[in-house]
Amino acid sequence: MKKILIALLFPWVMIHSQQTEKEPLNIILMIGDGMGLSQITAGMYVNNNTSTLENFSVVGLSKTHAIKSLVTDSAASGTAMACGDKTYNGVVGVNYLNKNLKSILEICEENGYNTGLITTSSIVHATPASFYANVSSRKKYEDIAMQLSTSEVDYFIGGGKKHFNQREDGRNLIKEMKSFDMVKNLKGFQKSEADKIGLFTYKDEPPSLNQGRDPLLPEYLSATLEKFKNREKPFFVLVEGSQIDWGGHANDVDYITSEFIEFNNAIGVALNFLEENPNTLIVVTADHETGGLAIIKGKTKNFEIEAGFNTGGHSATMVPVFSHGKNASLFSGIYDNTQIFHKIKEAAGL
Ligand code: MG
Ligand code: ZN
């Protein structure tokens, strides 16, 4: 009775209390390592002048520099995006004051989220590691593997098995990771009903698509989203197209475009999920550009391209940020890569 009276006298109070009961946000963060605007453009032309990124409603730009280096590496930039703080090149999950940082994945876990990591490199490589590890050097693969083995991550898919079971300290972390169902392939992943599942795709770094890796990134994401959908909690998942960067280092435009197209198809999977699950935010960005790539010649017939490179390393050019779905508008404008962390937190109300 009292409630009805309040509603009659102060209708805006009731409207407000309804609005604050919001559904938790699902977050799909997709990082194309080394995927600058030229990599996207090259991949789009080679893909018959089309990309799933054209469906995104909001585009922004991110400044990628590290704390003391204008040209970042994947560790500093991964840490900036995962943890919200600038740091030195080579450092993972630790800021410039040597303080261990908490990642957005870990914050999501603390707030009752399910979480996942899917990558086309090893799972201990700098980009995915930025979301669960704190180490002074990205090369400390055994330490990083140890930190993943005790992390709260629910699903992971990536290479680098040897860092877990062929270690200098003689330990077999795979045997120690009793909370995980360690599966052998995509089918095993799909079949498993465990709360935590790990899939090592390769013993070492996975090969490129051109050298025989199965183009399974879209399927891995699709299978992981299916798992999340069947659980009651919201989720955070990181998807990395790791080898766009390696194509850039090799100054090999076919390597770049083939890896981009697989990543592009995985973005399509995320967009389809968003259509059926509108309480989802997709953010697609890069940690930096690789190769100083420029498209300097080409033909509109079949969209053939000819590319030139300026470096075998990374460049300091800004990288695009594409966002779509709930609260995507937060990602418009020009900002530091650390804002990826802060904006995701804000979007999810964490
Ligand atoms: Mg990477
Ligand atoms: Zn690189």
Side-chain angles (χ1 to χ4, degrees):
M1 187 63 200
K2 206 172 166 192
K3 240 183 182 172
I4 293 167
L5 190 66
I6 290 171
L8 283 172
L9 292 174
F10 311 102
W12 59 89
V13 173
M14 301 304 282
I15 289 164
H16 183 74
S17 73
Q18 268 171 13
Q19 276 177 344
T20 51
E21 268 184 53
K22 53 181 192 248
E23 231 185 301
L25 183 72
N26 298 315
I27 304 152
I28 304 174
L29 174 61
M30 306 185 71
I31 298 176
D33 199 315
M35 189 183 74
L37 199 50
S38 293
Q39 282 76 5
I40 293 167
T41 311
M44 179 191 69
Y45 282 140
V46 170
N47 194 37
N48 298 318
N49 192 20
T50 170
S51 167
T52 51
L53 287 167
E54 292 169 65
N55 297 300
F56 281 67
S57 53
V58 179
V59 183
L61 290 168
S62 154
K63 300 193 268 187
T64 65
H65 70 87
I67 188 82
K68 297 273 188 196
S69 320
L70 203 63
V71 179
T72 190
D73 80 332
S74 293
S77 189
T79 299
M81 293 188 286
C83 307
D85 221 343
K86 294 271 188 190
T87 191
Y88 299 103
N89 282 344
V91 175
V92 173
V94 180
N95 78 357
Y96 59 99
L97 299 169
N98 212 19
K99 179 177 165 249
N100 279 3
L101 301 169
K102 197 178 275 181
S103 78
I104 187 70
L105 182 145
E106 291 164 311
I107 292 168
C108 283
E109 280 288 349
E110 285 177 359
N111 283 275
Y113 274 59
N114 288 317
T115 58
L117 297 165
I118 310 170
T119 178
T120 54
S121 65
S122 69
I123 198 71
V124 293
H125 219 260
T127 313
S130 301
F131 289 80
Y132 63 82
N134 312 97
V135 285
S136 58
S137 165
R138 60 184 288 173
K139 292 185 183 137
K140 292 185 170 176
Y141 290 126
E142 294 206 350
D143 289 350
I144 295 170
M146 182 76 81
Q147 293 183 30
L148 179 65
S149 77
T150 56
S151 81
E152 297 290 323
V153 176
D154 297 287
Y155 307 114
F156 72 85
I157 302 175
K161 187 177 184 179
K162 69 172 188 188
H163 303 293
F164 293 77
N165 66 354
Q166 293 170 24
R167 297 167 55 86
E168 274 178 19
D169 64 10
R171 286 169 69 172
N172 184 343
L173 298 184
I174 297 175
K175 282 198 177 143
E176 294 178 25
M177 293 163 76
K178 291 202 168 47
S179 58
F180 281 91
D181 184 8
M182 302 301 289
V183 297
K184 290 206 160 62
N185 50 33
L186 176 62
K187 264 209 177 118
F189 186 90
Q190 287 165 322
K191 265 197 197 155
S192 173
E193 287 176 356
D195 285 345
K196 286 165 83 93
I197 311 172
L199 166 53
F200 285 113
T201 52
Y202 288 87
K203 189 178 115 185
D204 218 313
E205 293 299 336
S208 67
L209 288 167
N210 290 342
Q211 287 184 334
R213 190 177 86 245
D214 283 332
L216 287 176
L217 190 62
E219 281 80 1
Y220 289 145
L221 176 57
S222 180
T224 305
L225 293 174
E226 197 60 34
K227 300 272 177 222
F228 285 134
K229 223 166 74 181
N230 293 329
R231 298 178 72 172
E232 295 290 284
K233 298 171 170 183
F235 67 82
F236 170 91
V237 63
L238 169 77
V239 184
E240 188 201 13
S242 320
Q243 298 201 28
I244 300 166
D245 174 65
W246 302 356
H249 285 292
N251 285 4
D252 179 341
V253 77
D254 293 333
Y255 193 170
I256 291 170
T257 53
S258 54
E259 295 292 333
F260 171 82
I261 289 168
E262 185 197 39
F263 189 58
N264 178 70
N265 294 339
I267 295 165
V269 168
L271 285 167
N272 289 340
F273 180 88
L274 170 64
E275 219 160 273
E276 285 166 28
N277 304 274
N279 203 54
T280 303
L281 168 69
I282 309 173
V283 178
V284 182
T285 188
D287 47 358
H288 52 73
E289 194 274 346
T290 307
L293 173 62
I295 299 158
I296 44 180
K297 263 189 199 166
K299 293 182 190 139
T300 50
K301 186 174 179 248
N302 299 329
F303 294 101
E304 278 172 39
I305 58 157
E306 210 174 294
F309 290 90
N310 277 299
T311 173
H314 302 164
S315 79
T317 186
M318 289 192 286
V319 292
V321 183
F322 302 86
S323 57
H324 201 51
K326 188 111 169 257
N327 297 335
S329 60
L330 285 170
F331 293 83
S332 72
I334 299 179
Y335 42 82
D336 258 319
N337 54 1
T338 50
Q339 288 300 315
I340 301 288
F341 166 89
H342 296 290
K343 287 174 189 291
I344 291 174
K345 257 184 84 179
E346 188 184 347
L350 297 171

